[in-house]
Amino acid sequence: MKLIIAIVQDEDASRLVSKLMNEGYGVTKLATTGGFLRAGNTTLLVGVDDEKFDGAMAVIEKICKSRKQIATAPTSMTGVNGVYSPYPIEVMVGGATVFVLSVDQFIKL
Ligand code: 2BA
């Protein structure tokens, strides 16, 4: 068994959860915050039997889109007075950041 930890954009989360549930996967949805943008994102925990792993990954890949976002982080120190001045940068976020862990035990009590 594998545990998929998928960090996705909020815009994709609802559709992704629905699609995974409809296809018979168990899903836990967590509200999370990206360390760089300091903006909300969504982390899904999906425990899957090995034979269903590829199917789950295919759903994630299909639904999660890459998007450009404008961020004002990080800040820089500028000027003679050392004033902190945020400046806009463009970053490409997602589709999905996925960690895959092998599960030793899956227990429901
Ligand atoms: P954030 O940390 O808010 O990062 C959002 C996007 O900002 C990233 O998209 C990346 O394009 C950019 N970015 C991140 N750190 C950067 C840096 N030091 N300099 C320049 N640009 C930077 P993604 O790579 O698609 O990541 C989306 C979200 O996935 C991240 O949100 C974070 O919540 C999570 N994530 C990504 N890599 C991770 C990792 N190695 N461990 C844990 N979470 C991770």
Side-chain angles (χ1 to χ4, degrees):
M1 186 178 206
K2 300 273 188 279
L3 176 65
I4 300 171
I5 301 174
I7 303 164
V8 305
Q9 294 177 67
D10 289 345
E11 292 90 328
D12 296 323
S14 179
R15 263 187 78 214
L16 180 57
V17 170
S18 299
K19 183 80 174 157
L20 287 168
M21 296 295 297
N22 287 342
E23 297 204 5
Y25 295 98
V27 182
T28 295
K29 178 172 175 273
L30 305 172
T32 46
T33 303
F36 185 69
L37 293 178
R38 309 290 166 95
N41 54 26
T42 298
T43 299
L44 300 184
L45 307 180
V46 188
V48 292
D49 290 328
D50 289 345
E51 61 272 19
K52 293 184 74 181
F53 172 78
D54 288 344
M57 290 299 296
V59 172
I60 294 168
E61 189 173 358
K62 183 174 172 200
I63 293 198
C64 296
K65 310 287 182 219
S66 294
R67 295 181 184 87
K68 285 182 188 163
Q69 289 200 16
I70 304 295
T72 52
T75 57
S76 69
M77 192 179 276
T78 58
V80 287
N81 296 325
V83 175
Y84 280 98
S85 160
Y87 60 93
I89 54 166
E90 188 178 88
V91 292
M92 184 65 77
V93 184
T97 299
V98 181
F99 300 88
V100 181
L101 284 66
S102 292
V103 175
D104 280 345
Q105 292 185 62
F106 174 55
I107 301 168
K108 287 189 177 181
L109 299 174

PDB file of all heavy atoms in Angstrom, residues 6-9 32-43 66-67 69 71 73-74 89-99, ligand 1:
ATOM      1  N   ALA A   6      -0.574  14.768  -1.672  1.00  0.00           N
ATOM      2  CA  ALA A   6      -0.603  15.641  -2.858  1.00  0.00           C
ATOM      3  C   ALA A   6      -0.949  17.062  -2.438  1.00  0.00           C
ATOM      4  O   ALA A   6      -2.027  17.299  -1.871  1.00  0.00           O
ATOM      5  CB  ALA A   6      -1.620  15.124  -3.873  1.00  0.00           C
ATOM      6  N   ILE A   7      -0.036  17.991  -2.711  1.00  0.00           N
ATOM      7  CA  ILE A   7      -0.285  19.410  -2.429  1.00  0.00           C
ATOM      8  C   ILE A   7      -0.761  20.033  -3.730  1.00  0.00           C
ATOM      9  O   ILE A   7      -0.042  20.010  -4.736  1.00  0.00           O
ATOM     10  CB  ILE A   7       0.990  20.094  -1.923  1.00  0.00           C
ATOM     11  CG1 ILE A   7       1.511  19.379  -0.679  1.00  0.00           C
ATOM     12  CG2 ILE A   7       0.723  21.573  -1.614  1.00  0.00           C
ATOM     13  CD1 ILE A   7       2.947  19.711  -0.312  1.00  0.00           C
ATOM     14  N   VAL A   8      -1.989  20.541  -3.702  1.00  0.00           N
ATOM     15  CA  VAL A   8      -2.604  21.046  -4.933  1.00  0.00           C
ATOM     16  C   VAL A   8      -3.150  22.443  -4.685  1.00  0.00           C
ATOM     17  O   VAL A   8      -3.275  22.901  -3.546  1.00  0.00           O
ATOM     18  CB  VAL A   8      -3.734  20.102  -5.423  1.00  0.00           C
ATOM     19  CG1 VAL A   8      -3.203  18.681  -5.594  1.00  0.00           C
ATOM     20  CG2 VAL A   8      -4.927  20.117  -4.479  1.00  0.00           C
ATOM     21  N   GLN A   9      -3.509  23.116  -5.774  1.00  0.00           N
ATOM     22  CA  GLN A   9      -4.086  24.453  -5.629  1.00  0.00           C
ATOM     23  C   GLN A   9      -5.551  24.346  -5.213  1.00  0.00           C
ATOM     24  O   GLN A   9      -6.270  23.419  -5.623  1.00  0.00           O
ATOM     25  CB  GLN A   9      -3.953  25.205  -6.949  1.00  0.00           C
ATOM     26  CG  GLN A   9      -2.503  25.489  -7.298  1.00  0.00           C
ATOM     27  CD  GLN A   9      -2.368  26.170  -8.643  1.00  0.00           C
ATOM     28  OE1 GLN A   9      -2.785  27.303  -8.823  1.00  0.00           O
ATOM     29  NE2 GLN A   9      -1.794  25.470  -9.593  1.00  0.00           N
ATOM     30  N   THR A  32      -4.000  23.819   3.909  1.00  0.00           N
ATOM     31  CA  THR A  32      -2.578  24.054   4.197  1.00  0.00           C
ATOM     32  C   THR A  32      -2.136  25.404   3.623  1.00  0.00           C
ATOM     33  O   THR A  32      -2.894  26.073   2.904  1.00  0.00           O
ATOM     34  CB  THR A  32      -1.711  22.907   3.641  1.00  0.00           C
ATOM     35  OG1 THR A  32      -2.116  22.608   2.300  1.00  0.00           O
ATOM     36  CG2 THR A  32      -1.867  21.651   4.474  1.00  0.00           C
ATOM     37  N   THR A  33      -0.933  25.777   3.928  1.00  0.00           N
ATOM     38  CA  THR A  33      -0.394  27.064   3.481  1.00  0.00           C
ATOM     39  C   THR A  33       1.002  26.857   2.925  1.00  0.00           C
ATOM     40  O   THR A  33       1.843  26.218   3.583  1.00  0.00           O
ATOM     41  CB  THR A  33      -0.320  28.053   4.670  1.00  0.00           C
ATOM     42  OG1 THR A  33      -1.611  28.194   5.239  1.00  0.00           O
ATOM     43  CG2 THR A  33       0.182  29.422   4.220  1.00  0.00           C
ATOM     44  N   GLY A  34       1.233  27.359   1.726  1.00  0.00           N
ATOM     45  CA  GLY A  34       2.559  27.239   1.114  1.00  0.00           C
ATOM     46  C   GLY A  34       3.566  28.135   1.818  1.00  0.00           C
ATOM     47  O   GLY A  34       3.258  29.287   2.139  1.00  0.00           O
ATOM     48  N   GLY A  35       4.745  27.608   2.040  1.00  0.00           N
ATOM     49  CA  GLY A  35       5.756  28.357   2.763  1.00  0.00           C
ATOM     50  C   GLY A  35       6.292  29.551   1.999  1.00  0.00           C
ATOM     51  O   GLY A  35       6.677  30.563   2.592  1.00  0.00           O
ATOM     52  N   PHE A  36       6.321  29.470   0.667  1.00  0.00           N
ATOM     53  CA  PHE A  36       6.896  30.548  -0.135  1.00  0.00           C
ATOM     54  C   PHE A  36       5.885  31.661  -0.381  1.00  0.00           C
ATOM     55  O   PHE A  36       6.139  32.828  -0.071  1.00  0.00           O
ATOM     56  CB  PHE A  36       7.415  29.990  -1.457  1.00  0.00           C
ATOM     57  CG  PHE A  36       8.131  31.014  -2.287  1.00  0.00           C
ATOM     58  CD1 PHE A  36       9.354  31.526  -1.896  1.00  0.00           C
ATOM     59  CD2 PHE A  36       7.588  31.464  -3.483  1.00  0.00           C
ATOM     60  CE1 PHE A  36      10.015  32.481  -2.650  1.00  0.00           C
ATOM     61  CE2 PHE A  36       8.241  32.407  -4.257  1.00  0.00           C
ATOM     62  CZ  PHE A  36       9.462  32.921  -3.839  1.00  0.00           C
ATOM     63  N   LEU A  37       4.713  31.308  -0.920  1.00  0.00           N
ATOM     64  CA  LEU A  37       3.707  32.328  -1.223  1.00  0.00           C
ATOM     65  C   LEU A  37       2.935  32.758   0.016  1.00  0.00           C
ATOM     66  O   LEU A  37       2.278  33.797  -0.002  1.00  0.00           O
ATOM     67  CB  LEU A  37       2.720  31.798  -2.272  1.00  0.00           C
ATOM     68  CG  LEU A  37       3.279  31.550  -3.673  1.00  0.00           C
ATOM     69  CD1 LEU A  37       2.195  30.978  -4.586  1.00  0.00           C
ATOM     70  CD2 LEU A  37       3.832  32.843  -4.270  1.00  0.00           C
ATOM     71  N   ARG A  38       2.977  31.931   1.059  1.00  0.00           N
ATOM     72  CA  ARG A  38       2.167  32.181   2.266  1.00  0.00           C
ATOM     73  C   ARG A  38       0.694  32.293   1.897  1.00  0.00           C
ATOM     74  O   ARG A  38      -0.043  33.084   2.480  1.00  0.00           O
ATOM     75  CB  ARG A  38       2.620  33.447   3.006  1.00  0.00           C
ATOM     76  CG  ARG A  38       4.097  33.518   3.302  1.00  0.00           C
ATOM     77  CD  ARG A  38       4.469  32.499   4.372  1.00  0.00           C
ATOM     78  NE  ARG A  38       5.906  32.310   4.440  1.00  0.00           N
ATOM     79  CZ  ARG A  38       6.713  32.952   5.284  1.00  0.00           C
ATOM     80  NH1 ARG A  38       6.229  33.792   6.137  1.00  0.00           N
ATOM     81  NH2 ARG A  38       8.010  32.706   5.281  1.00  0.00           N
ATOM     82  N   ALA A  39       0.301  31.506   0.895  1.00  0.00           N
ATOM     83  CA  ALA A  39      -1.094  31.492   0.448  1.00  0.00           C
ATOM     84  C   ALA A  39      -1.654  30.096   0.678  1.00  0.00           C
ATOM     85  O   ALA A  39      -0.907  29.111   0.754  1.00  0.00           O
ATOM     86  CB  ALA A  39      -1.174  31.857  -1.030  1.00  0.00           C
ATOM     87  N   GLY A  40      -2.970  30.028   0.770  1.00  0.00           N
ATOM     88  CA  GLY A  40      -3.614  28.745   1.029  1.00  0.00           C
ATOM     89  C   GLY A  40      -3.437  27.772  -0.121  1.00  0.00           C
ATOM     90  O   GLY A  40      -3.473  28.176  -1.288  1.00  0.00           O
ATOM     91  N   ASN A  41      -3.218  26.536   0.211  1.00  0.00           N
ATOM     92  CA  ASN A  41      -3.311  25.463  -0.770  1.00  0.00           C
ATOM     93  C   ASN A  41      -3.970  24.277  -0.075  1.00  0.00           C
ATOM     94  O   ASN A  41      -4.421  24.389   1.069  1.00  0.00           O
ATOM     95  CB  ASN A  41      -1.965  25.142  -1.447  1.00  0.00           C
ATOM     96  CG  ASN A  41      -0.848  24.837  -0.480  1.00  0.00           C
ATOM     97  OD1 ASN A  41      -1.087  24.383   0.638  1.00  0.00           O
ATOM     98  ND2 ASN A  41       0.386  25.078  -0.892  1.00  0.00           N
ATOM     99  N   THR A  42      -4.080  23.174  -0.760  1.00  0.00           N
ATOM    100  CA  THR A  42      -4.795  22.022  -0.207  1.00  0.00           C
ATOM    101  C   THR A  42      -3.900  20.802  -0.275  1.00  0.00           C
ATOM    102  O   THR A  42      -3.246  20.565  -1.300  1.00  0.00           O
ATOM    103  CB  THR A  42      -6.092  21.764  -1.021  1.00  0.00           C
ATOM    104  OG1 THR A  42      -6.933  22.903  -0.908  1.00  0.00           O
ATOM    105  CG2 THR A  42      -6.831  20.532  -0.510  1.00  0.00           C
ATOM    106  N   THR A  43      -3.855  20.070   0.814  1.00  0.00           N
ATOM    107  CA  THR A  43      -3.084  18.829   0.829  1.00  0.00           C
ATOM    108  C   THR A  43      -4.044  17.653   0.977  1.00  0.00           C
ATOM    109  O   THR A  43      -4.890  17.644   1.877  1.00  0.00           O
ATOM    110  CB  THR A  43      -2.064  18.833   1.988  1.00  0.00           C
ATOM    111  OG1 THR A  43      -1.157  19.924   1.782  1.00  0.00           O
ATOM    112  CG2 THR A  43      -1.273  17.528   2.031  1.00  0.00           C
ATOM    113  N   SER A  66      -1.235  23.722 -13.909  1.00  0.00           N
ATOM    114  CA  SER A  66      -0.230  24.709 -13.531  1.00  0.00           C
ATOM    115  C   SER A  66      -0.790  26.106 -13.782  1.00  0.00           C
ATOM    116  O   SER A  66      -1.500  26.322 -14.760  1.00  0.00           O
ATOM    117  CB  SER A  66       1.037  24.549 -14.365  1.00  0.00           C
ATOM    118  OG  SER A  66       1.652  23.335 -14.063  1.00  0.00           O
ATOM    119  N   ARG A  67      -0.492  27.014 -12.880  1.00  0.00           N
ATOM    120  CA  ARG A  67      -0.946  28.403 -13.052  1.00  0.00           C
ATOM    121  C   ARG A  67       0.155  29.357 -12.637  1.00  0.00           C
ATOM    122  O   ARG A  67       0.914  29.074 -11.718  1.00  0.00           O
ATOM    123  CB  ARG A  67      -2.178  28.687 -12.179  1.00  0.00           C
ATOM    124  CG  ARG A  67      -3.400  27.884 -12.560  1.00  0.00           C
ATOM    125  CD  ARG A  67      -4.591  28.240 -11.677  1.00  0.00           C
ATOM    126  NE  ARG A  67      -5.734  27.389 -12.001  1.00  0.00           N
ATOM    127  CZ  ARG A  67      -5.950  26.197 -11.453  1.00  0.00           C
ATOM    128  NH1 ARG A  67      -5.119  25.724 -10.557  1.00  0.00           N
ATOM    129  NH2 ARG A  67      -7.000  25.479 -11.803  1.00  0.00           N
ATOM    130  N   GLN A  69       1.268  32.680 -10.761  1.00  0.00           N
ATOM    131  CA  GLN A  69       0.778  33.544  -9.684  1.00  0.00           C
ATOM    132  C   GLN A  69       1.791  34.652  -9.451  1.00  0.00           C
ATOM    133  O   GLN A  69       2.996  34.449  -9.599  1.00  0.00           O
ATOM    134  CB  GLN A  69       0.592  32.749  -8.400  1.00  0.00           C
ATOM    135  CG  GLN A  69      -0.584  31.791  -8.470  1.00  0.00           C
ATOM    136  CD  GLN A  69      -1.073  31.371  -7.097  1.00  0.00           C
ATOM    137  OE1 GLN A  69      -0.748  31.988  -6.094  1.00  0.00           O
ATOM    138  NE2 GLN A  69      -1.847  30.295  -7.070  1.00  0.00           N
ATOM    139  N   ALA A  71       3.505  36.961  -6.784  1.00  0.00           N
ATOM    140  CA  ALA A  71       3.760  36.963  -5.345  1.00  0.00           C
ATOM    141  C   ALA A  71       4.537  38.208  -4.976  1.00  0.00           C
ATOM    142  O   ALA A  71       5.242  38.783  -5.804  1.00  0.00           O
ATOM    143  CB  ALA A  71       4.570  35.726  -4.974  1.00  0.00           C
ATOM    144  N   ALA A  73       6.513  37.990  -2.260  1.00  0.00           N
ATOM    145  CA  ALA A  73       7.583  37.457  -1.415  1.00  0.00           C
ATOM    146  C   ALA A  73       8.698  36.965  -2.323  1.00  0.00           C
ATOM    147  O   ALA A  73       8.436  36.542  -3.434  1.00  0.00           O
ATOM    148  CB  ALA A  73       7.064  36.297  -0.582  1.00  0.00           C
ATOM    149  N   PRO A  74       9.933  36.979  -1.890  1.00  0.00           N
ATOM    150  CA  PRO A  74      10.371  37.488  -0.607  1.00  0.00           C
ATOM    151  C   PRO A  74      10.540  39.000  -0.628  1.00  0.00           C
ATOM    152  O   PRO A  74      10.456  39.614  -1.690  1.00  0.00           O
ATOM    153  CB  PRO A  74      11.721  36.802  -0.421  1.00  0.00           C
ATOM    154  CG  PRO A  74      12.238  36.689  -1.825  1.00  0.00           C
ATOM    155  CD  PRO A  74      11.031  36.467  -2.707  1.00  0.00           C
ATOM    156  N   ILE A  89       6.878  39.204  -7.965  1.00  0.00           N
ATOM    157  CA  ILE A  89       7.546  38.228  -8.833  1.00  0.00           C
ATOM    158  C   ILE A  89       6.491  37.259  -9.340  1.00  0.00           C
ATOM    159  O   ILE A  89       5.455  37.069  -8.704  1.00  0.00           O
ATOM    160  CB  ILE A  89       8.644  37.435  -8.091  1.00  0.00           C
ATOM    161  CG1 ILE A  89       8.069  36.780  -6.830  1.00  0.00           C
ATOM    162  CG2 ILE A  89       9.830  38.298  -7.756  1.00  0.00           C
ATOM    163  CD1 ILE A  89       8.988  35.739  -6.241  1.00  0.00           C
ATOM    164  N   GLU A  90       6.764  36.675 -10.496  1.00  0.00           N
ATOM    165  CA  GLU A  90       5.827  35.717 -11.067  1.00  0.00           C
ATOM    166  C   GLU A  90       6.372  34.314 -10.851  1.00  0.00           C
ATOM    167  O   GLU A  90       7.539  34.051 -11.159  1.00  0.00           O
ATOM    168  CB  GLU A  90       5.670  35.999 -12.563  1.00  0.00           C
ATOM    169  CG  GLU A  90       4.585  35.190 -13.225  1.00  0.00           C
ATOM    170  CD  GLU A  90       4.460  35.556 -14.698  1.00  0.00           C
ATOM    171  OE1 GLU A  90       5.169  34.947 -15.512  1.00  0.00           O
ATOM    172  OE2 GLU A  90       3.674  36.454 -15.017  1.00  0.00           O
ATOM    173  N   VAL A  91       5.540  33.435 -10.301  1.00  0.00           N
ATOM    174  CA  VAL A  91       5.968  32.044 -10.129  1.00  0.00           C
ATOM    175  C   VAL A  91       4.938  31.110 -10.761  1.00  0.00           C
ATOM    176  O   VAL A  91       3.757  31.435 -10.836  1.00  0.00           O
ATOM    177  CB  VAL A  91       6.139  31.651  -8.637  1.00  0.00           C
ATOM    178  CG1 VAL A  91       7.297  32.383  -8.019  1.00  0.00           C
ATOM    179  CG2 VAL A  91       4.866  31.871  -7.845  1.00  0.00           C
ATOM    180  N   MET A  92       5.414  29.980 -11.231  1.00  0.00           N
ATOM    181  CA  MET A  92       4.532  28.949 -11.789  1.00  0.00           C
ATOM    182  C   MET A  92       4.238  27.940 -10.673  1.00  0.00           C
ATOM    183  O   MET A  92       5.168  27.355 -10.116  1.00  0.00           O
ATOM    184  CB  MET A  92       5.236  28.269 -12.963  1.00  0.00           C
ATOM    185  CG  MET A  92       4.384  27.260 -13.683  1.00  0.00           C
ATOM    186  SD  MET A  92       2.957  27.980 -14.512  1.00  0.00           S
ATOM    187  CE  MET A  92       3.715  28.688 -15.955  1.00  0.00           C
ATOM    188  N   VAL A  93       2.967  27.774 -10.350  1.00  0.00           N
ATOM    189  CA  VAL A  93       2.578  26.892  -9.242  1.00  0.00           C
ATOM    190  C   VAL A  93       1.891  25.651  -9.791  1.00  0.00           C
ATOM    191  O   VAL A  93       1.038  25.741 -10.668  1.00  0.00           O
ATOM    192  CB  VAL A  93       1.626  27.604  -8.264  1.00  0.00           C
ATOM    193  CG1 VAL A  93       1.316  26.698  -7.079  1.00  0.00           C
ATOM    194  CG2 VAL A  93       2.219  28.913  -7.798  1.00  0.00           C
ATOM    195  N   GLY A  94       2.253  24.511  -9.223  1.00  0.00           N
ATOM    196  CA  GLY A  94       1.563  23.253  -9.539  1.00  0.00           C
ATOM    197  C   GLY A  94       1.789  22.805 -10.956  1.00  0.00           C
ATOM    198  O   GLY A  94       2.740  23.232 -11.556  1.00  0.00           O
ATOM    199  N   GLY A  95       0.913  22.033 -11.462  1.00  0.00           N
ATOM    200  CA  GLY A  95      -0.169  21.144 -11.067  1.00  0.00           C
ATOM    201  C   GLY A  95      -0.195  20.606  -9.665  1.00  0.00           C
ATOM    202  O   GLY A  95      -1.074  21.002  -8.894  1.00  0.00           O
ATOM    203  N   ALA A  96       0.701  19.707  -9.279  1.00  0.00           N
ATOM    204  CA  ALA A  96       0.619  19.129  -7.950  1.00  0.00           C
ATOM    205  C   ALA A  96       2.030  18.763  -7.507  1.00  0.00           C
ATOM    206  O   ALA A  96       2.855  18.375  -8.324  1.00  0.00           O
ATOM    207  CB  ALA A  96      -0.264  17.876  -7.961  1.00  0.00           C
ATOM    208  N   THR A  97       2.255  18.937  -6.209  1.00  0.00           N
ATOM    209  CA  THR A  97       3.503  18.444  -5.613  1.00  0.00           C
ATOM    210  C   THR A  97       3.143  17.173  -4.861  1.00  0.00           C
ATOM    211  O   THR A  97       2.315  17.205  -3.946  1.00  0.00           O
ATOM    212  CB  THR A  97       4.090  19.485  -4.647  1.00  0.00           C
ATOM    213  OG1 THR A  97       4.385  20.679  -5.381  1.00  0.00           O
ATOM    214  CG2 THR A  97       5.367  18.972  -3.993  1.00  0.00           C
ATOM    215  N   VAL A  98       3.726  16.062  -5.260  1.00  0.00           N
ATOM    216  CA  VAL A  98       3.271  14.766  -4.752  1.00  0.00           C
ATOM    217  C   VAL A  98       4.410  14.015  -4.068  1.00  0.00           C
ATOM    218  O   VAL A  98       5.497  13.863  -4.640  1.00  0.00           O
ATOM    219  CB  VAL A  98       2.716  13.897  -5.904  1.00  0.00           C
ATOM    220  CG1 VAL A  98       2.216  12.549  -5.378  1.00  0.00           C
ATOM    221  CG2 VAL A  98       1.597  14.626  -6.632  1.00  0.00           C
ATOM    222  N   PHE A  99       4.157  13.586  -2.851  1.00  0.00           N
ATOM    223  CA  PHE A  99       5.059  12.691  -2.132  1.00  0.00           C
ATOM    224  C   PHE A  99       4.388  11.325  -2.068  1.00  0.00           C
ATOM    225  O   PHE A  99       3.183  11.237  -1.824  1.00  0.00           O
ATOM    226  CB  PHE A  99       5.313  13.186  -0.701  1.00  0.00           C
ATOM    227  CG  PHE A  99       5.941  14.550  -0.631  1.00  0.00           C
ATOM    228  CD1 PHE A  99       5.157  15.702  -0.621  1.00  0.00           C
ATOM    229  CD2 PHE A  99       7.316  14.689  -0.578  1.00  0.00           C
ATOM    230  CE1 PHE A  99       5.739  16.958  -0.550  1.00  0.00           C
ATOM    231  CE2 PHE A  99       7.905  15.941  -0.513  1.00  0.00           C
ATOM    232  CZ  PHE A  99       7.118  17.075  -0.502  1.00  0.00           C
TER     233      PHE A  99
HETATM  234  P1  2BA B   1       4.656  27.534  -1.936  1.00  0.00           P
HETATM  235  O1  2BA B   1       5.751  27.195  -0.993  1.00  0.00           O
HETATM  236  O2  2BA B   1       3.778  28.684  -1.588  1.00  0.00           O
HETATM  237  O3  2BA B   1       5.312  27.749  -3.381  1.00  0.00           O
HETATM  238  C1  2BA B   1       4.551  28.194  -4.472  1.00  0.00           C
HETATM  239  C2  2BA B   1       5.385  28.256  -5.731  1.00  0.00           C
HETATM  240  O4  2BA B   1       6.406  29.235  -5.570  1.00  0.00           O
HETATM  241  C3  2BA B   1       6.108  26.947  -6.052  1.00  0.00           C
HETATM  242  O5  2BA B   1       5.248  26.105  -6.793  1.00  0.00           O
HETATM  243  C4  2BA B   1       7.314  27.431  -6.846  1.00  0.00           C
HETATM  244  O6  2BA B   1       6.962  27.644  -8.211  1.00  0.00           O
HETATM  245  C5  2BA B   1       7.590  28.786  -6.239  1.00  0.00           C
HETATM  246  N1  2BA B   1       8.648  28.736  -5.245  1.00  0.00           N
HETATM  247  C6  2BA B   1       8.680  28.031  -4.085  1.00  0.00           C
HETATM  248  N2  2BA B   1       9.807  28.251  -3.399  1.00  0.00           N
HETATM  249  C7  2BA B   1      10.531  29.120  -4.148  1.00  0.00           C
HETATM  250  C8  2BA B   1      11.796  29.761  -3.974  1.00  0.00           C
HETATM  251  N3  2BA B   1      12.554  29.533  -2.891  1.00  0.00           N
HETATM  252  N4  2BA B   1      12.209  30.614  -4.946  1.00  0.00           N
HETATM  253  C9  2BA B   1      11.457  30.872  -6.038  1.00  0.00           C
HETATM  254  N5  2BA B   1      10.236  30.300  -6.250  1.00  0.00           N
HETATM  255  C10 2BA B   1       9.785  29.443  -5.326  1.00  0.00           C
HETATM  256  P2  2BA B   1       5.336  24.537  -6.599  1.00  0.00           P
HETATM  257  O7  2BA B   1       6.750  24.072  -6.665  1.00  0.00           O
HETATM  258  O8  2BA B   1       4.354  23.937  -7.574  1.00  0.00           O
HETATM  259  O9  2BA B   1       4.855  24.242  -5.113  1.00  0.00           O
HETATM  260  C11 2BA B   1       3.496  24.399  -4.720  1.00  0.00           C
HETATM  261  C12 2BA B   1       3.362  24.165  -3.232  1.00  0.00           C
HETATM  262  O10 2BA B   1       3.754  22.815  -2.941  1.00  0.00           O
HETATM  263  C13 2BA B   1       4.268  25.008  -2.357  1.00  0.00           C
HETATM  264  O11 2BA B   1       3.687  26.272  -2.107  1.00  0.00           O
HETATM  265  C14 2BA B   1       4.372  24.177  -1.091  1.00  0.00           C
HETATM  266  O12 2BA B   1       3.190  24.321  -0.311  1.00  0.00           O
HETATM  267  C15 2BA B   1       4.390  22.765  -1.662  1.00  0.00           C
HETATM  268  N6  2BA B   1       5.739  22.254  -1.850  1.00  0.00           N
HETATM  269  C16 2BA B   1       6.505  22.354  -2.957  1.00  0.00           C
HETATM  270  N7  2BA B   1       7.676  21.723  -2.777  1.00  0.00           N
HETATM  271  C17 2BA B   1       7.654  21.214  -1.525  1.00  0.00           C
HETATM  272  C18 2BA B   1       8.561  20.448  -0.744  1.00  0.00           C
HETATM  273  N8  2BA B   1       9.782  20.080  -1.217  1.00  0.00           N
HETATM  274  N9  2BA B   1       8.203  20.094   0.513  1.00  0.00           N
HETATM  275  C19 2BA B   1       7.003  20.466   1.005  1.00  0.00           C
HETATM  276  N10 2BA B   1       6.075  21.173   0.318  1.00  0.00           N
HETATM  277  C20 2BA B   1       6.407  21.550  -0.931  1.00  0.00           C
END
